[in-house]
Amino acid sequence: MAYTEEELKKELETKEYEYGFYTDIESDTLPKGLNEEIVIAISKKKEEPDWMTEWRLEAFRAWQEMEEPEWANVTYKKPDFQDISYYSAPNKKPKYNSLDEVDPELLETFKKLGISVDEQKKLAGVAVDIVMDSVSVATTFKKTLAEKGIIFCSISEAIQEHPELVKKYLGTVVPKKDNFYAALNSAVFSDGSFCYIPKGVRCPMELSTYFRINQAGTGQFERTLVVAEEGSYVSYLEGCTAPMRDENQLHAAVVELIALDDAEIKYSTVQNWYPGNDQGKGGVFNFVTKRGLCEKNAKISWTQVETGSAVTWKYPSCILKGDHSIGEFYSIAVTNNFQQADTGTKMVHLGKNTKSTIISKGISAGQSQNSYRGLVQVNSRAENARNFSQCDSLLMGNRCGAHTFPYIEAKNKTAQIEHEATTSKIGEDQIFYCNQRGIDTEKAIALIVNGFSKEVLNKLPMEFAVEAQKLLEISLEGSVG
Amino acid sequence: MKNNSMLEIKNLHASVDDKEILKGIDLKVNAGEVHAIMGPNGSGKSTLAEVIAGQEEFEVGEGNILLEGEDLEELSPEERAHKGVFLSFQYPVEIPGVSVTNFMKTAINESRKAQGLEDMPANEMLKKIREKSEMLEIDRKFLSRSLNEGFSGGEKKRNEIFQMAMMEPKLAILDETDSGLDIDALRIVANGVNKLRSKDNAIIVITHYQRLLEYIVPDFVHVLYNGKIVKSGTKELALELEEKGYDWLKEEAAV
């Protein structure tokens, strides 16, 4: 990978939790291991109300009874959950005084992605000039949002300031005991975002701009909750195209979306965590639970571009509960070197006349394994449910793998379900054709991959599509010898 | 004599999987000339075209290929393209999701980059696209379709010549551009090629049939048989071949 750095590898390989034990609750790092005391300590540290502490404890107790799932098409050494510190100071990145001190390779990547100098500094952990006051920028955004009655803050803040909303919705789409990682997240989640759009309000901006300025560093156990009241609309963008130099190996996030009657939520993700080096050493494990609930006439679209992480386990899903509700899933998953991805979606049709669309584009290179796993479920009462699924895989070279695991369960005979799947390989004849037109091999691959991913790239917010396109190029650099 | 050599091939041998296909080709093409290469199936015509373009599948044993006096041996296919070599493919490949326009934009700007030039300004690019597509009677809608995906045989060939018009190569090799074209399409394509003829470029037309040569009139005709040029002549040679077939040449070559 272009941004593989010796230092980062070392950081990831040598565990950072070696500084001894801290029992002082006021300190920045809790001791390794997980038990009820730790869960209580996390909750206390965040000054949470009792109901929240109790909620976490219930999740923890459930988690203890659960087993790590093994059905995904990935192999990795399971993390030792007692060897992890579950609360650590959010900012452990090295601080630099100027960009000159930052790894030139990282800067090169930033440049390729077209990220502004100020943002580069922020992302690389350089102290930002006073001129570029990100706090005040954020405040301006916040003011605009507040005028519309939109709440957009950290989940910790929401627990303090809007407990009635959090209480009402948290865990309603992804229950505490949903699965092993979701339960773990529910017990120990560090922070994340909360977004509430009032009835009939159209959020006037992509919630990305704000996000990129404020949330460059995300936590290990992120928790996000988005609630769109009746007839409202929001487009939410998570993640960043810039390489994320996160030291945490295990990531288990939970995202819950609630779209009430006639509401629409667009949720776009670009995930570019450290994928490990080209020998398959290091890298982030990304075990995510993302799910949205659609009430009557509501619509949820998931769009994701997944290029990072050593192991990805992720199925953004839609529960189409309300009649006439719509679920969409657009995904590009790139794996290179030794990366493994098992990703897809679940579309659960409960209401009448519900519709879902799945477009999945998997690109495998190197010795990676890329699996699509998707469930389309039509309940017995879901009259006239319709689904269209298209899963395309593109292979580069002959040492990688692409797999498709579609599951279809239809309990209503009026259901119309279509599934299309293709597998293709970048052909030498395609490369030669491009070469003959003066396009070198690296660029030819980028062109072919972008063409292959176009239907999904088009779903991304404009400003981001360009960066995502470049990110695909960078992720596949050096994948053809 | 003024040296205006565009392409010079000397004793070229090429093989694939240890099977020799080109067995000593000599060919000289000057700027401003059109050469036709004819010959039966399997005689090595397409191989010759691809070897000139730098297809690495072929092992070049002996011999040299010189473009304007410069040996191409060490150059990659894209570098040859940057120097002005263009191949109109017999079987153009499909690239799904990449529009004709986007492909051309990339190709032209990559060549410009290699020459140390900035990207072509968008308005200039659009103007050029408009001009060239009109010349080849190409519908503008066609240009936003994915490259060659779902194109008819004729559309693919017309698209190749459109690309040639856009790239303005010094040396264009048209590999069986006439195959798959109906008579109207053939005329349009041939007219296009004729408009691109100039004293500064050279064109090699590879074909089975004399038909195309009625429209694109060559200065010289060569017959390739069994990896060698067995006969060269003027455009009348093409007529003779049409009439008599290739057998008499095979016999001649066997002697």
Side-chain angles (χ1 to χ4, degrees):
Chain A
M1 303 295 290
Y3 48 83
T4 302
E5 300 134 50
E6 282 306 320
E7 286 169 26
L8 186 56
K9 273 183 246 165
K10 280 189 198 122
E11 276 174 41
L12 281 160
E13 282 156 21
T14 55
K15 289 266 160 42
E16 69 216 24
Y17 309 109
E18 58 196 19
Y19 310 108
F21 295 108
Y22 289 84
T23 40
D24 181 3
I25 273 171
E26 293 309 305
S27 78
D28 278 347
T29 306
L30 286 174
K32 286 185 205 171
L34 189 54
N35 52 44
E36 293 208 3
E37 275 161 45
I38 294 283
V39 174
I40 293 168
I42 290 170
S43 194
K44 272 208 178 139
K45 225 171 176 4
K46 302 171 79 68
E47 295 169 12
E48 290 175 351
D50 290 346
W51 63 267
M52 195 65 237
T53 314
E54 195 47 44
W55 199 87
R56 286 178 182 272
L57 282 171
E58 276 172 36
F60 173 70
R61 287 169 199 143
W63 178 74
Q64 277 186 309
E65 305 296 314
M66 297 170 101
E67 292 206 2
E68 210 174 339
E70 285 180 343
W71 43 262
N73 187 26
V74 291
T75 49
Y76 59 93
K77 193 174 169 290
K78 285 183 186 168
D80 179 353
F81 293 97
Q82 295 303 335
D83 196 37
I84 295 172
S85 170
Y86 287 85
Y87 188 90
S88 45
N91 211 339
K92 294 170 73 186
K93 290 178 184 174
K95 282 283 175 200
Y96 304 104
N97 293 318
S98 84
L99 277 179
D100 300 338
E101 297 169 24
V102 178
D103 189 315
E105 232 183 300
L106 183 69
L107 291 181
E108 186 57 29
T109 310
F110 283 149
K111 222 169 85 192
K112 284 181 189 162
L113 288 166
I115 290 169
S116 75
V117 173
D118 282 331
E119 216 175 333
Q120 283 182 28
K121 288 182 181 172
K122 179 94 188 167
L123 292 165
V126 174
V128 180
D129 306 345
I130 301 159
V131 191
M132 155 83 187
D133 183 0
S134 63
V135 176
S136 70
V137 174
T139 315
T140 316
F141 286 141
K142 250 189 162 162
K143 213 176 136 202
T144 315
L145 295 174
E147 279 167 12
K148 299 255 179 190
I150 295 168
I151 303 167
F152 188 48
C153 60
S154 72
I155 193 99
S156 310
E157 201 181 324
I159 291 166
Q160 304 294 340
E161 307 289 327
H162 309 282
E164 70 299 338
L165 286 173
V166 176
K167 229 172 169 172
K168 186 171 173 190
Y169 292 109
L170 190 73
T172 56
V173 187
V174 179
K176 292 189 284 281
K177 304 170 187 173
D178 189 78
N179 67 67
F180 184 83
Y181 301 113
L184 178 64
N185 175 287
S186 299
V188 301
F189 70 83
S190 31
D191 214 334
S193 303
F194 174 76
C195 173
Y196 175 83
I197 316 289
K199 196 170 164 179
V201 170
R202 230 189 126 77
C203 185
M205 62 180 87
E206 302 276 352
L207 287 183
S208 57
T209 333
Y210 176 96
F211 206 87
R212 285 185 58 174
I213 292 171
N214 283 276
Q215 306 280 327
T218 46
Q220 189 174 9
F221 299 100
E222 218 182 325
R223 184 94 197 184
T224 300
L225 177 60
V226 179
V227 181
E229 282 277 8
E230 287 172 30
S232 67
Y233 167 83
V234 62
S235 170
Y236 189 96
L237 196 105
E238 165 204 57
C240 192
T241 51
M244 293 307 249
R245 310 170 43 136
D246 198 290
E247 298 88 348
N248 297 314
Q249 226 199 347
L250 174 68
H251 280 254
V254 171
V255 176
E256 292 178 277
L257 309 184
I258 293 136
L260 296 175
D261 292 0
D262 303 303
E264 182 178 349
I265 302 174
K266 263 186 84 150
Y267 194 101
S268 313
T269 307
V270 173
Q271 184 265 116
N272 188 18
W273 299 107
Y274 181 59
N277 68 9
D278 55 11
Q279 302 301 311
K281 275 254 172 77
V284 165
F285 295 167
N286 194 23
F287 304 128
V288 190
T289 306
K290 291 186 167 180
R291 198 174 299 150
L293 178 76
C294 285
E295 293 289 355
K296 214 172 84 193
N297 250 335
K299 180 176 173 184
I300 289 179
S301 294
W302 297 102
T303 306
Q304 58 170 22
V305 178
E306 301 276 324
T307 64
S309 297
V311 180
T312 302
W313 182 99
K314 180 180 173 186
Y315 316 91
S317 307
C318 296
I319 312 289
L320 304 172
K321 182 180 162 212
D323 294 349
H324 302 279
S325 58
I326 297 172
E328 294 176 336
F329 173 76
Y330 301 103
S331 166
I332 301 170
V334 180
T335 53
N336 196 358
N337 297 321
F338 288 87
Q339 283 177 271
Q340 304 176 71
D342 193 303
T343 182
T345 183
K346 282 193 258 181
M347 293 290 175
V348 181
H349 293 254
L350 300 177
K352 294 183 178 67
N353 302 308
T354 45
K355 254 168 75 177
S356 61
T357 306
I358 298 170
I359 309 280
S360 161
K361 305 276 181 180
I363 299 155
S364 346
Q367 301 186 41
S368 67
Q369 296 296 329
N370 200 329
S371 303
Y372 166 81
R373 187 182 303 277
L375 169 70
V376 176
Q377 194 178 54
V378 179
N379 195 272
S380 57
R381 289 190 192 166
E383 296 286 324
N384 297 318
R386 284 171 61 189
N387 162 265
F388 174 75
S389 303
Q390 187 185 326
C391 305
D392 298 324
S393 308
L394 188 67
L395 296 162
M396 298 171 61
N398 46 22
R399 290 186 301 168
C400 54
H403 316 269
T404 306
F405 303 99
Y407 304 84
I408 297 172
E409 294 170 14
K411 290 183 182 145
N412 185 308
K413 61 178 192 284
T414 61
Q416 279 183 48
I417 298 169
E418 286 174 73
H419 181 92
E420 286 178 13
T422 66
T423 303
S424 50
K425 215 175 143 176
I426 294 188
E428 279 170 21
D429 52 346
Q430 282 176 317
I431 304 274
F432 179 63
Y433 189 89
C434 293
N435 289 162
Q436 208 300 304
R437 298 300 187 251
I439 302 165
D440 67 30
T441 302
E442 205 87 64
K443 187 92 190 168
I445 287 167
L447 195 70
I448 295 165
V449 166
N450 275 316
F452 173 79
S453 316
K454 199 170 150 193
E455 288 158 278
V456 177
L457 285 174
N458 285 347
K459 297 288 172 190
L460 284 174
M462 189 55 194
E463 38 159 342
F464 233 74
V466 179
E467 279 183 26
Q469 214 165 337
K470 290 183 197 152
L471 179 63
L472 290 182
E473 267 175 56
I474 293 168
S475 303
L476 291 166
E477 247 170 33
S479 57
V480 164
Chain B
M1 205 180 102
K2 183 169 125 253
N3 185 9
N4 59 350
S5 166
M6 182 58 76
L7 177 72
E8 194 172 358
I9 297 176
K10 294 184 208 160
N11 190 31
L12 182 67
H13 290 253
S15 52
V16 64
D17 301 332
D18 290 333
K19 187 174 180 275
E20 195 172 53
I21 298 175
L22 302 181
K23 301 171 181 172
I25 303 260
D26 289 284
L27 181 68
K28 193 167 188 299
V29 179
N30 289 321
E33 292 175 355
V34 174
H35 288 235
I37 296 179
M38 303 183 75
N41 283 332
S43 56
K45 302 190 296 294
S46 290
T47 302
L48 176 61
E50 294 196 355
V51 168
I52 296 171
Q55 169 64 283
E56 279 145 13
E57 199 182 299
F58 300 101
E59 177 89 21
V60 175
E62 280 176 66
N64 307 87
I65 305 170
L66 307 174
L67 184 77
E68 294 186 303
E70 186 191 352
D71 197 326
L72 296 182
E73 192 182 340
E74 297 296 322
L75 300 186
S76 66
E78 60 270 27
E79 287 167 327
R80 295 179 194 209
H82 298 155
K83 302 245 177 231
V85 175
F86 179 91
L87 173 60
S88 167
F89 284 77
Q90 186 179 359
Y91 304 109
V93 299
E94 296 179 2
I95 305 187
V98 178
S99 69
V100 177
T101 304
N102 186 17
F103 185 69
M104 269 300 96
K105 203 176 92 192
T106 309
I108 286 176
N109 285 334
E110 286 297 297
S111 286
R112 287 174 69 100
K113 199 164 78 187
Q115 285 148 22
L117 297 169
E118 294 281 305
D119 279 2
M120 184 180 275
N123 56 351
E124 202 179 313
M125 184 75 75
L126 283 170
K127 192 168 155 253
K128 191 164 180 171
I129 288 172
R130 196 176 309 130
E131 253 174 49
K132 305 298 181 187
S133 57
E134 274 167 18
M135 183 179 92
L136 289 155
E137 299 179 34
I138 286 172
D139 190 336
R140 299 289 296 284
K141 273 185 230 147
F142 179 86
L143 301 173
S144 50
R145 283 170 60 187
S146 286
L147 188 72
N148 291 320
E149 198 183 32
F151 285 18
S152 71
E155 284 172 331
K156 284 184 184 172
K157 295 305 174 68
R158 201 184 293 194
N159 180 31
E160 292 292 289
I161 303 304
F162 169 70
Q163 293 184 37
M164 172 183 163
M166 292 293 294
M167 309 279 297
E168 298 175 334
K170 283 184 185 154
L171 173 71
I173 307 163
L174 314 184
D175 191 2
E176 301 211 14
T177 298
D178 50 340
S179 67
L181 290 183
D182 62 31
I183 194 76
D184 291 329
L186 182 72
R187 200 167 46 231
I188 293 164
V189 163
N191 281 342
V193 173
N194 286 331
K195 280 182 196 155
L196 298 171
R197 281 173 87 155
S198 86
K199 62 174 177 34
D200 301 316
N201 62 27
I203 297 172
I204 296 175
V205 180
I206 293 173
T207 183
H208 272 290
Y209 305 106
Q210 132 80 10
R211 192 178 66 156
L212 177 67
L213 304 181
E214 284 173 21
Y215 296 96
I216 305 172
V217 181
D219 300 297
F220 299 96
V221 175
H222 311 275
V223 180
L224 190 62
Y225 176 67
N226 196 18
K228 281 184 172 169
I229 289 177
V230 293
K231 199 164 185 72
S232 298
T234 55
K235 63 179 192 252
E236 284 74 24
L237 176 60
L239 286 168
E240 199 178 343
L241 287 167
E242 183 85 351
E243 221 171 276
K244 293 161 64 178
Y246 291 111
D247 286 348
W248 61 282
L249 280 172
K250 289 183 190 172
E251 280 156 28
E252 228 171 68
V255 175

